[in-house]
Amino acid sequence: MMETNDIQSIVDVVRSCNDTVLCTNRLDEYPEARTVMNALNANATNLELHFITDRDSPKMKQLNHNPKCSLYYFNPNARYAVRLFGEMRIIDSINEKQKYWRDSYSDFGYMGPNDPNLTLLQFIPKSYKFYVGNEMKTGVI
């Protein structure tokens, strides 16, 4: 069961992190973890989280094969950590890409929100896990 204060606690941790670890499943079914930018979620008010990547990245091949993934947020200053489990969805809408476009993405070689290599991802959370002291908090979203 989802508790409102749990979700707000998770959002607070998400907002406090510059990066997160995204874990996908490789095509040979082994898990693969990598750091991804969390810039699009710096002002998150809920768990509708977004990320950008390149259309031809290994993570896209993995997500197209199996959209199930997890996010691991860790704030080293506060020592807070959250694990989110869910699925990643590809957003093809140019309007949505424009909404999330940042001029700084040109530093990564993207030419704008219409760039065919720019891929916008939306994380659809299903469950969570984190600790408050020795108490493990889990829930379904």
Side-chain angles (χ1 to χ4, degrees):
M1 176 191 254
M2 175 181 66
E3 292 187 30
T4 305
N5 58 342
D6 284 356
I7 298 303
Q8 186 57 53
S9 295
I10 294 168
V11 170
D12 291 344
V13 173
V14 167
R15 290 176 60 147
S16 74
C17 296
N18 293 328
D19 301 299
T20 187
V21 175
L22 167 65
C23 188
T24 57
N25 296 289
R26 296 184 334 190
L27 301 182
D28 63 5
E29 299 184 17
Y30 284 98
E32 182 172 358
R34 87 273 286 144
T35 303
V36 294
M37 291 186 319
N38 192 46
L40 294 179
N41 305 307
N43 297 315
T45 58
N46 57 41
L47 293 178
E48 184 179 310
L49 306 176
H50 293 85
F51 304 91
I52 63 161
T53 192
D54 194 84
R55 177 188 67 203
D56 296 324
S57 71
K59 74 175 92 45
M60 284 304 300
K61 290 180 178 98
Q62 294 165 2
L63 290 168
N64 280 322
H65 181 72
N66 181 354
K68 292 181 180 178
C69 59
S70 64
L71 296 171
Y72 178 73
Y73 283 94
F74 178 70
N75 179 317
N77 297 323
R79 306 290 301 167
Y80 293 139
V82 170
R83 283 171 262 184
L84 296 171
F85 307 93
E87 296 185 10
M88 201 67 81
R89 178 183 120 181
I90 299 167
I91 298 180
D92 292 322
S93 164
I94 294 298
N95 288 337
E96 285 295 302
K97 287 182 179 184
Q98 288 173 334
K99 177 179 170 183
Y100 290 99
W101 172 256
R102 307 289 186 268
D103 289 336
S104 61
Y105 296 161
S106 60
D107 295 344
F108 301 104
Y110 298 116
M111 304 305 288
N114 296 325
D115 188 322
N117 291 320
L118 176 70
T119 302
L120 179 63
L121 300 172
Q122 179 183 12
F123 180 72
I124 310 299
K126 303 292 183 182
S127 62
Y128 63 87
K129 179 179 180 179
F130 68 96
Y131 288 88
V132 176
N134 292 335
E135 181 187 0
M136 179 175 51
K137 301 268 198 167
T138 61
V140 176
I141 301 170

